[in-house]
Amino acid sequence: MQHPHPATITAAQKSELQLKTQTITRQVQSLQLLQQSYQQAQLHLAGCEATLKANQAASVNAAKEFSALREHFKERLDASDFESQTAFLAALRTESTRKQLQQTIAAYEQNLAAATDRLQRAQNAVNGKTEPELSACKAAEQQADALYRQLTAQTAVTAKELSDLQKAQLQLQELEKKMGTLQDAYQTAASLAETARGNNPSRLTFSAFVLQAILDDVLQAANLRLTSMSRGRYSLSRTGDVLDARRENGLNIEVTDSFTGVARPVKTLSGGELFLASLSLALGLSDVVQAYAGGIRLDTILVDEGFGTLDSEALDMAIRTLTDLQKGGRLVGIISHVSELRERISARLEVIPGQRGSTAVFHV
């Protein structure tokens, strides 16, 4: 194929050159916008990762502190007179109960003081007198003395229990304060983790959020070709509606028909329209992958079947799009049984079946 001399360039060729130059300029601008979005997403991701690491570290520290407090409580419990934690909990008394016990002890001490005073006055009254037969009284006295000793011992035990309970109450209050702090720290980390896992009204995970940004870039690149191939009728967009609360959402695609101005599901497209949309998405994904991969080019593209569902006008637009890709330096291959493509594509590899097997013939 001979290229025309620059001096013989026609007006149509100049116009086509200007259009391609404008297209390249728009693509460069779009690439710059995509790179800026990618950098912002990276900064946001780094911030989220730093926050997550800080919260995880706080959660680990809180767990360690809680474990240490629990071991300290166990040591204090083992050192006490309680046989088990159940016994300790059973011995806990409320503030009102402790006040009642104190009142009981105070009343007992008053009664004991009065009884002691009466005993002393009685002893003073019988001094110097002949002791009558008081075996029955002596037995009663011994019983009273035994009861006194028993009550005195019980008073000492009760006083110790009260002191231990007061100390345990102070320790429990300190533990409750620390537990509240630990609970607040854990709640923050747990809330962040639940949100990242998608446990939110939108059922949106962090990975799905990143995929949404990438899908938006792919749709933007795909619409550049779909709008052209459908002569400005169709464009693709992502819908953020929650279609099923039991599943992840946010990656659903719908098509906007400029004839009706209404967005509808992609599955409502006809076979040929769906093929054009799929081809646009594949090419858009190729562009985005190249942009995200630091300029790595995908030089070869293979399109498998689907051309048989297109009418002649849609087939022209699809072939024109693939031809433009070929002119841009890419190798475009089409796998198809559509006979009309033979007239449009000169270089082809034809597989011919036979009785002894299939043969391949390359046509230039």
Side-chain angles (χ1 to χ4, degrees):
M1 180 178 180
Q2 296 181 353
H3 296 280
H5 192 273
T8 61
I9 294 176
T10 64
Q13 291 174 332
K14 289 183 178 180
S15 177
E16 183 180 359
L17 179 59
Q18 290 177 352
L19 290 176
K20 290 183 177 180
T21 302
Q22 293 174 358
T23 301
I24 292 174
T25 301
R26 289 194 299 271
Q27 291 178 347
V28 170
Q29 293 175 349
S30 177
L31 175 61
Q32 291 175 349
L33 292 176
L34 291 175
Q35 289 175 339
Q36 291 176 0
S37 299
Y38 174 71
Q39 292 174 356
Q40 292 175 358
Q42 282 186 322
L43 292 176
H44 181 67
L45 175 61
C48 292
E49 289 178 345
T51 302
L52 179 60
K53 289 181 180 179
N55 290 332
Q56 288 175 340
S59 178
V60 171
N61 293 334
K64 291 181 179 178
E65 187 176 1
F66 173 75
S67 178
L69 291 174
R70 184 169 57 185
E71 289 298 326
H72 179 68
F73 172 76
K74 185 176 181 303
E75 292 175 358
R76 296 298 301 272
L77 182 64
D78 293 340
S80 66
D81 295 334
F82 296 103
E83 296 180 355
S84 62
Q85 183 176 355
T86 303
F88 167 72
L89 295 176
L92 286 177
R93 297 294 184 271
T94 62
E95 183 67 24
S96 59
T97 302
R98 289 197 300 273
K99 289 182 178 179
Q100 291 177 358
L101 290 175
Q102 289 175 343
Q103 292 175 357
T104 302
I105 293 172
Y108 170 78
E109 289 177 348
Q110 292 177 358
N111 294 333
L112 178 62
T116 302
D117 180 68
R118 289 195 299 271
L119 175 62
Q120 184 64 41
R121 286 189 284 108
Q123 287 178 346
N124 294 333
V126 298
N127 283 337
K129 295 182 180 179
T130 303
E131 181 177 359
E133 184 64 27
L134 298 176
S135 57
C137 294
K138 190 170 183 61
E141 179 186 4
Q142 292 176 350
Q143 291 179 355
D145 183 66
L147 179 61
Y148 167 76
R149 295 177 182 276
Q150 180 181 358
L151 292 177
T152 302
Q154 290 179 352
T155 301
V157 172
T158 302
K160 185 178 184 306
E161 289 180 353
L162 177 61
S163 176
D164 292 341
L165 289 174
Q166 289 174 341
K167 293 178 180 178
Q169 183 185 20
L170 294 176
Q171 293 175 356
L172 286 176
Q173 290 175 351
E174 292 294 328
L175 290 175
E176 287 178 354
K177 292 180 180 179
K178 293 181 179 179
M179 283 292 295
T181 303
L182 295 176
Q183 185 66 24
D184 292 339
Y186 170 78
Q187 188 65 30
T188 301
S191 176
L192 180 60
E194 289 295 322
T195 301
R197 284 198 295 264
N199 190 7
N200 50 67
S202 299
R203 297 294 297 167
L204 179 64
T205 63
F206 181 74
S207 59
F209 172 77
V210 176
L211 290 177
Q212 283 183 358
I214 298 175
L215 180 58
D216 289 339
D217 293 341
V218 173
L219 292 177
Q220 184 178 6
N223 283 330
L224 295 176
R225 293 184 174 87
L226 180 59
T227 303
S228 175
M229 288 190 289
S230 64
R231 295 188 179 276
R233 179 175 181 179
Y234 295 120
S235 62
L236 300 174
S237 61
R238 178 179 60 81
T239 175
D241 297 337
V242 178
L243 302 179
D244 188 350
R246 297 170 298 179
R247 302 169 54 187
E248 292 185 359
N249 294 274
L251 299 177
N252 302 305
I253 300 176
E254 61 184 7
V255 60
T256 300
D257 190 342
S258 62
F259 288 5
T260 62
V262 177
R264 52 192 171 93
V266 177
K267 63 182 180 180
T268 61
L269 293 174
S270 64
E273 294 169 341
L274 189 58
F275 172 75
L276 293 180
S278 300
L279 180 60
S280 300
L281 281 173
L283 298 178
L285 179 60
S286 172
D287 294 340
V288 172
V289 168
Q290 289 184 121
Y292 279 23
I296 296 177
R297 288 181 55 82
L298 300 178
D299 294 325
T300 303
I301 298 176
L302 295 178
V303 182
D304 186 8
E305 279 299 349
F307 291 91
T309 60
L310 303 178
D311 55 27
S312 59
E313 183 179 0
L315 182 60
D316 289 338
M317 297 303 299
I319 294 299
R320 184 180 303 173
T321 300
L322 296 177
T323 301
D324 291 339
L325 290 175
Q326 185 182 19
K327 292 178 180 179
R330 296 186 184 181
L331 175 61
V332 180
I334 299 175
I335 304 173
S336 178
H337 296 85
V338 179
S339 59
E340 187 177 352
L341 291 175
R342 298 177 183 176
E343 302 174 359
R344 298 172 178 262
I345 301 175
S346 57
R348 64 183 186 276
L349 180 64
E350 184 176 0
V351 179
I352 303 174
Q355 294 181 353
R356 296 184 179 180
S358 300
T359 59
V361 179
F362 187 75
H363 300 277
V364 180

